[in-house]
Amino acid sequence: MAKFPVEPFKIKVVEPIRQTSAEERAEILRRAGYNLFAVRAEDVYVDLLTDSGTSAMSDRQWAGVMRGDEAYAGCRNFFNLEEAVQTITGFRHFVPTHQGRAAENVLFTCTVAPGQSVPSNMHFDTTQANVLARGGHPVNLIALAGLDPTLHAPFKGDMDVARLEAFIQETGPENIPLGMLTVTNNSGGGQPVSMANIRATGEALHKYGIPFFLDACRYAENAYFIKLRDPDYAETPVLEIAREMFSYADGCTMSAKKDALVNIGGFLALHDEALYQRVCQELIIREGFPTYGGLAGRDLEAVARGLWEGLDEGYLAYRIAHTRYLADRLVEEGVPILEPPGGHAVYLNVKRFLPHIPQSELPGQALTCALYVEGGVRGVEIGSVMFAHEDAATGETVYPDLELVRLAIPRRVYTQAHLDYVVETCRTLYERREEILGLRYTYAPRLLRHFTARFEPV
Ligand code: F0G
């Protein structure tokens, strides 16, 4: 029987949630155009749409909010954050941003020219879209193990470094302004990247003079996986593991809404002085002065404190075991998931859950809708709606290898009973899976389609 970890906190503030009936939810969904992003949060019972910005902050973080210094320039909270960022990442310079994609926007505006390529293990959707928005090509070079949803391997987020080198030689280093690694790999199931792979990716890029950035949203969960799964790091403090991860890179983008346990915030950190100067110019246009970067002083303080809490080993042990519990319970019930589970989410393996629905009929989206109607559980499709694209040469639709529904777990928010309820919802649905029908688009925008597309049942 799966084991639930004992929480390293107790609950001081609660937010009531409300259950609706299946009939009400079917109507809500129809009005929302079968897109869960268009459903009101109040009409959701257990919200696993994202682990981003949904953390419960600690009393210490809330106390920090009251210590917000709202000066336009040089507020004390900036310096507290600077100390945390520099101690943890080791990067010389950093600027706050209002969230992760703002850091991506500023970075790519300063580095990517039209026609250039940005390789990564796997870009997240906003990273991909930000590269595309600069006229660049986002390229995913994940090692093959990362595309096998049933293979048990410790580091399925690893980059295929041999393919990366071949790609650099084909494309020419002058056409690659930077390379990236997403740690953990969100789009590929929240799988961690090994230390050896981070080092090797850095070496391969640096050999050709190409800067290397980490997409570091979930760097602490990645560091904890390294501690759990790489015997060389079993006794190493997580802070030291994190510092080593960052030491192979030239900079990072960070959405603090994940491993820094806040509701809003992010940053861009880097070594290069000249690039930092350009970043500051760009930041002032888009986000704000470099000592606040689109955030209030109180938010900066919450990020500074949250960065430390997110590295606490008692917290991380609980966090990873909490996610593992949901995965193990689903496996016990025979529900197909991506294995092993990642750090921040459990991913339902849609190709095995709904083999009767072809990717052209959007089975992942169909499953998110069914989960909502069945139990008021909100997950997110990470499959054909998010990633299918038209082949530039043939005009044919290219579907992603992985068709997933992500159940992302907000940090410090849901109890064992909530997770058991989600398992029960998934189990009931799995028993009735043949009744689930595919969907077709009634509206689809060109970029970041999943947020605003609308559908109808086939
Ligand atoms: N990179 C990764 C790997 C992410 O998962 C996200 C956000 C971002 C960048 C962008 O950060 O939201 O602060 O602008 N992921 C959220 C999610 C939205 O649900 O996975 P942001």
Side-chain angles (χ1 to χ4, degrees), residues 49-52 99-102 104 124 126-127 182 184 186 215 217-218 255-258 265 344 406:
L49 183 67
T50 180
D51 63 319
S52 180
Q99 60 185 74
R101 68 198 71 184
E104 292 159 12
F124 184 62
T126 60
T127 325
T182 312
T184 58
N186 186 8
D215 177 341
C217 312
R218 301 182 182 85
S255 167
K257 298 169 74 173
K258 285 84 167 172
H344 68 295
R406 186 185 72 173

Side-chain angles (χ1 to χ4, degrees), residues 254-266:
M254 173 78 186
S255 167
K257 298 169 74 173
K258 285 84 167 172
D259 277 356
L261 296 162
V262 290
N263 307 123
I264 196 73

